[in-house]
Amino acid sequence: GTVVEPFPRLAVSMMVKGRALRGAGGAEAQLFFLDGLGTPLPDPTGGVGLFRWSGTFDWQREQVIVPVPNGAVRAVLQLTKSDGSGALYVDDVSVRSAPDPDAASWTPFHSQDDTNGWAAVQPSPTIEAKSALDASFLLDAPAGKHGFVTVKEGRLFFTSGRRARFYGVALLPPAAFLDTERADAFADRLARSGINLVRIGDLETPLGPDRSLYDDTLDDTKSFDEIALAKLDHLIAALKKRGIYIALELQGTRRFRSGDDVKDVGKLPLGGGPAAVFDPTLKKLALDSALALLNHVNPETGRALREEPALAWVTLAGEITMFNLIDTPSLLSPTYNAELKEIAAKSNEVFGRHFWQTLEAKHWSEFAGTLRKDKVKAPIASVSHWLREKNFVDSLQAPGLDLIDDRLYWTASTWSNPSRRSLLWSLDGGLAAGALRKRKSDRPYVVGQWAEQTAGAWASPYEGADIMLASATAAAEDWDALVRRGIFVHPINWGSSAAGIGGGEDIYQLPEVVNGIPQVFSLWPHAASVMLRRAATDDGAKDTDKRSAHVRRAPVKGWDPTRGRFVIDTPYTQGLAGWPGDEPASLEGISVQTNEPFAVIVASSVGKEPIISSKRILVTAIARVEPTGFHWVDDWRRDVADPGRPPLLQEPVSARVHWNRKGAIKGYHLDNTGKRVAEVKLRRDDQGVELVIDGTASTLHWELVIE
C-alpha cells in the first residue's frame, strides 16, 4: 500500500509469468483506493480491475494508468488467484505517480520510521516507593479487607457493601512461578502501578519442572509440582498483602499424557478442546484438578483459594468450547466425534449449534454447582473466549454461572491507514461495540483479557492513547473489570527491550507483552486512576441498561473518533491523547497544548484530592516507541521484517502543561522509576504554573508539587 492523496493518476507496472492458470480469469490484479479511515473508494464492494491472466505464458510486462478518485488517501494493490490450479509468478512490481513518475513511487520493500533524534528509553527496573509514580494509594490493602467479592444487582460488590471494581493484568506462562525475591518485587511494581488484580491462567502449560502446575516428571497430569505450587502460593500471598486481587482460570493449556487414561491422547488439543465438555474421563480430570487446587491451603495466607476473600472470581476454562468446531472441525478425533454424535442421538437433539449450547450449558452449570457444594465463595464464570456467536453467548448465562468473563481483542480494519490504526479512530464504538454482544444487564461483565491484535508486531505505536481510551471506556460503560494481556518473564528489566529481542534466555518474540511496552506501563498510574477512581457522579452507574441497548458514536466523553482525539477529563486525571490537531485542551485542573501530530500528555493527582486542589501531580508525556532497527515488510505495515534490537527508542514530545494551582510549586524531572533526577524551571502566572516540555530530555514523567 502507498499514499496517493497528492496525485491525479497512478502508473502500475509488473512482470508476470503464468503456468496452467484455469479459465478466463485464473488470476487477477486489483487496485483498491481507500479514504483516511480505510473505506474503499469509490465502490466499497470491489477494487479497480487492472489485469487478468489465464493459461500458460512466459514473463511479460503489464502496465496500466489508473485515475485516483476524489477522497482517496491510500491505495492497496491486491493479486488474487481464483483457485488452486496452476501458478502465477510476479516480479518487479511498482506503483508510480503519473504523469510525473519521479514525484512518488512505491515498491514492496522494508519500511521503517525515521527515528533520528529519538532518545533511548530508560529502563524501569522498579518503582520507587512514595515517589510521584507510586500509585499504590489507589489500592486498599490487604486484598479482601472488605469481605468476599459477590454479585449484587448485576454488578460485583464486596460483602461489606462497597462496589468492587478491578483494573488488572494477565500473566503469560510461566510468570506465575517466580522465585520469592522476584515475586515480591513484581507485586510491589504492580501495586505501585495502580494494578489491583492479577489474572492467573494457563498454569498447566507444560514448560518443565518448577514452571508448570503439573509435575512434568510424571506420565500423567494428576499431581501438582510441589515447587511450582509453593511459588504460586507465595505470589498470591505477596499480591494479597499489597491489595491486589486474584482472578483464577482453571482449565486451559493442559497437555494430557499417557497415564491419564484418555482416548486419543496424542490427538487431543490443549485442555482437551471440545471433548472436555462431554467426555466423562476428561470432565473428571478437570474437576478433580480444580477441586485439588481450590482446596489446597496456602501456608502463607492460611487459607484455601475456595475461602480466600482475595479471590475476585473463578473462570472455569479459557477458550475451551464446543463452538471452536465452527472454525476447526478437525479438533475432534474420529473417536470423540463418534462419541459426540451418539450423545446427540440419545438426546433427540439435532446435531448443531443449539445442541452444542445445550450440552455446554449443562456441563458448566454442573461444574459450577460442584464447586459451590465445595464451598467456593467467589463468583464463577464458565468460558472466557473471544467468540461472539449467539448460541455460545447464550450458554454463558446458564444456571449457576454468576458473571461473564470476556476476551476482547481489538483489530484495526483490514483497509485502515497504518497511521490511524488506533482505537481512537473507531467509528463503530471501539471496545464498547465489542462488549455489547456479550454483556447482559443482569450479571457482572469483566474483560478478563484485552489487547490489540498487531499482526505479529511487538506492539502498536499508538498503545499509549489506546490504553487511556480503554480505561475510560470501562469506566463509562461501568464494566466490573478490565484486564490487559499480559506479563511475560522477559524482559526482566521493564522497558529494556521488547519481549524476545533482549538476548540470553529472552528469545520468544511474543506480541503485546506489557513489560516490553513503555507506552503502556508508563501510563498505568493514569489509566488505573480513570478506572478505579470513577466518580460517584458519573452517569455510567445510573444508565447502564440504556447504555447497553445501543452503541453510540462516541461512548466516552471527550472522545472524537472522527479526529482520533481524546480529551481526558475526570476530577483526578486530565489530559490529551491521540491526534491533538493543534487544538489545546483546557480543563478545570490543567490545560495542555502541543503541536505534535500524535502524543499522550496526561496528569493525575497523587493522593486522594482531585487535581484542582491536590498538592502533588504526576505528568506523563509519551508518543511512539519502537525497538532500534525495527522494520516492516512494506508501507502497508501488515508484516514484520525485522523485530529490531535494544534499546527501545522514544519519539520526542514537546508540549506545555499548565496547572491551575497557586502556591510554592516546584517541578522535577523523574526517571522511569519515579526518582527525582533534576529540578525543572516552571513559568508562573496569576492562574498557576506552566511546565514546558521541550522534547530534549529522555524523561517521560514530571512531578509538580507544593512543598
Side-chain angles (χ1 to χ4, degrees):
T2 187
V3 176
V4 300
E5 193 170 16
F7 312 116
R9 290 178 296 280
L10 297 178
V12 183
S13 173
M14 66 185 71
M15 293 292 293
V16 296
K17 175 182 176 180
R19 177 173 58 82
L21 295 171
R22 179 176 296 173
E28 65 177 328
Q30 292 176 288
L31 198 65
F32 290 85
F33 292 99
L34 315 175
D35 64 15
L37 296 175
T39 303
L41 297 171
D43 179 5
T45 63
V48 178
L50 302 179
F51 316 111
R52 286 196 173 204
W53 303 283
S54 61
T56 299
F57 53 89
D58 203 354
W59 287 106
Q60 62 188 37
R61 169 71 64 182
E62 302 280 16
Q63 301 181 79
V64 68
I65 302 292
V66 182
V68 177
N70 292 332
V73 174
R74 299 185 70 87
V76 178
L77 179 62
Q78 177 173 296
L79 286 89
T80 306
K81 197 159 74 69
S82 60
D83 56 33
S85 177
L88 178 71
Y89 304 90
V90 182
D91 196 7
D92 194 21
V93 178
S94 72
V95 180
R96 297 178 180 272
S97 57
D100 180 7
D102 295 327
S105 65
W106 171 80
T107 55
F109 198 62
H110 290 185
S111 171
Q112 66 181 129
D113 292 313
D114 180 4
T115 57
N116 288 327
W118 291 28
V121 173
Q122 303 169 5
S124 179
T126 187
I127 294 177
E128 293 280 332
K130 307 299 182 183
S131 69
L133 206 54
D134 181 356
S136 58
F137 62 86
L138 295 173
L139 282 59
D140 202 2
K145 69 181 294 185
H146 297 291
F148 291 94
V149 178
T150 187
V151 175
K152 176 183 176 184
E153 299 174 352
R155 297 293 179 269
L156 292 181
F157 280 82
F158 296 112
T159 50
S160 67
R162 292 184 51 162
R163 178 70 190 275
R165 184 176 283 108
F166 301 104
Y167 190 75
V169 66
L171 302 188
L172 301 174
F177 306 112
L178 301 174
D179 292 333
T180 299
E181 183 177 350
R182 190 173 172 193
D184 290 338
F186 175 66
D188 283 337
R189 175 175 200 108
L190 292 185
R192 294 170 190 171
S193 297
I195 299 298
N196 75 339
L197 181 134
V198 166
R199 182 189 179 95
I200 298 176
D202 294 336
L203 294 171
E204 328 100 301
T205 307
L207 295 174
D210 309 346
R211 296 161 69 90
S212 171
L213 181 62
Y214 296 114
D215 190 337
D216 277 352
T217 66
L218 303 177
D219 292 331
D220 59 45
T221 58
K222 300 176 183 178
S223 301
F224 294 152
D225 183 315
E226 293 300 326
I227 296 177
L229 187 59
K231 290 180 177 181
L232 179 62
D233 284 339
H234 180 74
L235 177 64
I236 290 173
L239 294 170
K240 176 181 178 178
K241 178 180 178 181
R242 292 158 178 81
I244 301 174
Y245 288 77
I246 303 299
L248 180 65
E249 184 178 285
L250 293 174
Q251 188 177 354
T253 54
R254 188 172 186 170
R255 176 67 75 186
F256 292 97
R257 305 169 191 164
S258 59
D260 290 317
D261 299 323
V262 301
K263 308 182 191 80
D264 296 339
V265 65
K267 299 178 182 179
L268 274 172
L270 294 177
V277 175
F278 61 83
D279 180 74
T281 302
L282 292 172
K283 291 172 64 170
K284 185 176 187 305
L285 285 168
L287 183 58
D288 289 348
S289 295
L291 293 172
L293 181 60
L294 290 165
N295 280 285
H296 164 73
V297 176
N298 186 330
E300 299 191 41
T301 64
R303 289 177 179 266
L305 281 171
R306 65 178 175 80
E307 57 182 10
E308 174 56 73
L311 184 60
W313 73 83
V314 174
T315 300
L316 302 180
E319 299 190 11
I320 294 176
T321 170
M322 300 293 303
F323 292 86
N324 288 336
L325 294 170
I326 296 173
D327 294 325
T328 316
S330 61
L331 278 175
L332 284 179
S333 69
T335 302
Y336 283 115
N337 193 48
E339 182 179 332
L340 179 60
K341 288 185 176 180
E342 184 179 347
I343 294 172
K346 290 180 178 179
S347 66
N348 295 319
E349 284 254 21
V350 177
F351 189 85
R353 298 186 187 191
H354 186 268
F355 166 62
W356 296 349
Q357 175 189 335
T358 302
L359 190 65
E360 191 147 313
K362 181 175 183 291
H363 167 65
W364 297 121
S365 288
E366 290 175 349
F367 201 138
T370 302
L371 298 189
R372 283 281 176 249
K373 290 178 182 177
D374 198 53
K375 297 184 170 44
V376 172
K377 295 183 179 298
I380 298 174
S382 60
V383 182
S384 180
H385 206 300
W386 47 266
L387 274 173
R388 270 148 177 73
E389 204 275 347
K390 183 181 183 303
N391 291 102
F392 171 72
V393 173
D394 289 344
S395 75
L396 304 179
Q397 306 165 66
L401 302 175
D402 304 302
L403 75 161
I404 292 174
D405 182 351
D406 198 4
R407 296 192 179 183
L408 194 56
Y409 302 138
W410 183 81
T411 305
S413 167
T414 303
W415 300 111
S416 62
N417 188 330
S419 65
R420 295 185 178 183
R421 287 180 186 154
S422 163
L423 274 171
L424 271 65
W425 292 98
S426 299
L427 292 176
D428 64 354
L431 292 184
L436 179 69
R437 296 173 65 184
K438 283 272 191 78
R439 189 174 180 188
K440 304 297 177 183
S441 60
D442 65 339
R443 65 193 60 216
Y445 174 79
V446 300
V447 178
Q449 285 193 33
W450 90 271
E452 299 185 37
Q453 301 294 295
T454 58
W458 69 296
S460 161
Y462 309 115
E463 295 261 14
D466 292 355
I467 196 79
M468 295 305 303
L469 181 58
S471 301
T473 300
E477 296 293 317
D478 198 25
W479 298 346
D480 295 87
L482 180 67
V483 181
R484 177 60 159 76
R485 188 189 69 188
I487 291 178
F488 189 50
V489 291
H490 297 292
I492 295 174
N493 197 0
W494 288 40
S496 60
S497 69
I501 66 171
E505 294 183 352
D506 183 14
I507 60 174
Y508 296 100
Q509 292 174 15
L510 300 176
E512 294 302 312
V513 172
V514 171
N515 34 320
I517 310 178
Q519 62 267 45
V520 170
F521 69 74
S522 67
L523 289 167
W524 261 351
H526 306 286
S529 172
V530 170
M531 177 70 172
L532 298 180
R533 295 203 279 195
R534 179 177 178 272
T537 55
D538 280 0
D539 63 350
K542 299 177 182 178
D543 67 349
T544 298
D545 291 345
K546 178 181 71 176
R547 202 180 283 271
S548 65
H550 65 286
V551 177
R552 294 169 296 158
R553 189 172 181 83
V556 176
K557 177 184 176 183
W559 172 34
D560 184 351
T562 65
R563 300 170 61 192
R565 174 185 164 96
F566 178 32
V567 177
I568 304 148
D569 186 10
T570 78
Y572 305 96
T573 300
Q574 298 175 1
L576 184 59
W579 288 258
D582 294 332
E583 180 183 339
S586 299
L587 307 166
E588 181 184 23
I590 68 165
S591 61
V592 177
Q593 185 170 4
T594 181
N595 294 321
E596 300 292 351
F598 171 82
V600 181
I601 303 145
V602 62
S604 293
S605 63
V606 181
K608 303 297 185 182
E609 295 296 319
I611 289 177
I612 195 64
S613 59
S614 178
K615 292 185 177 181
R616 191 183 186 196
I617 66 171
L618 170 70
V619 177
T620 301
I622 193 168
R624 295 176 296 170
V625 178
E626 65 182 50
T628 301
F630 181 85
H631 281 71
W632 298 95
V633 170
D634 57 37
D635 286 338
W636 196 237
R637 302 195 170 194
R638 278 294 177 188
D639 295 294
V640 175
D642 188 335
R645 59 190 181 278
L648 300 178
L649 302 176
Q650 62 187 54
E651 186 176 25
V653 176
S654 297
R656 298 175 182 272
V657 179
H658 190 282
W659 188 19
N660 305 328
R661 189 82 164 90
K662 297 179 181 180
I665 300 173
K666 289 187 176 182
Y668 298 93
H669 288 289
L670 307 179
D671 67 15
N672 285 347
T673 71
K675 182 179 179 181
R676 294 177 180 176
V677 293
E679 188 172 351
V680 59
K681 292 184 178 180
L682 303 173
R683 296 181 179 178
R684 304 177 189 276
D685 56 31
D686 293 340
Q687 302 302 315
V689 296
E690 183 179 70
L691 169 67
V692 178
I693 302 171
D694 61 12
T696 61
S698 61
T699 185
L700 302 176
H701 306 286
W702 292 260
E703 176 185 2
L704 303 182
V705 59
I706 299 176
E707 294 186 335

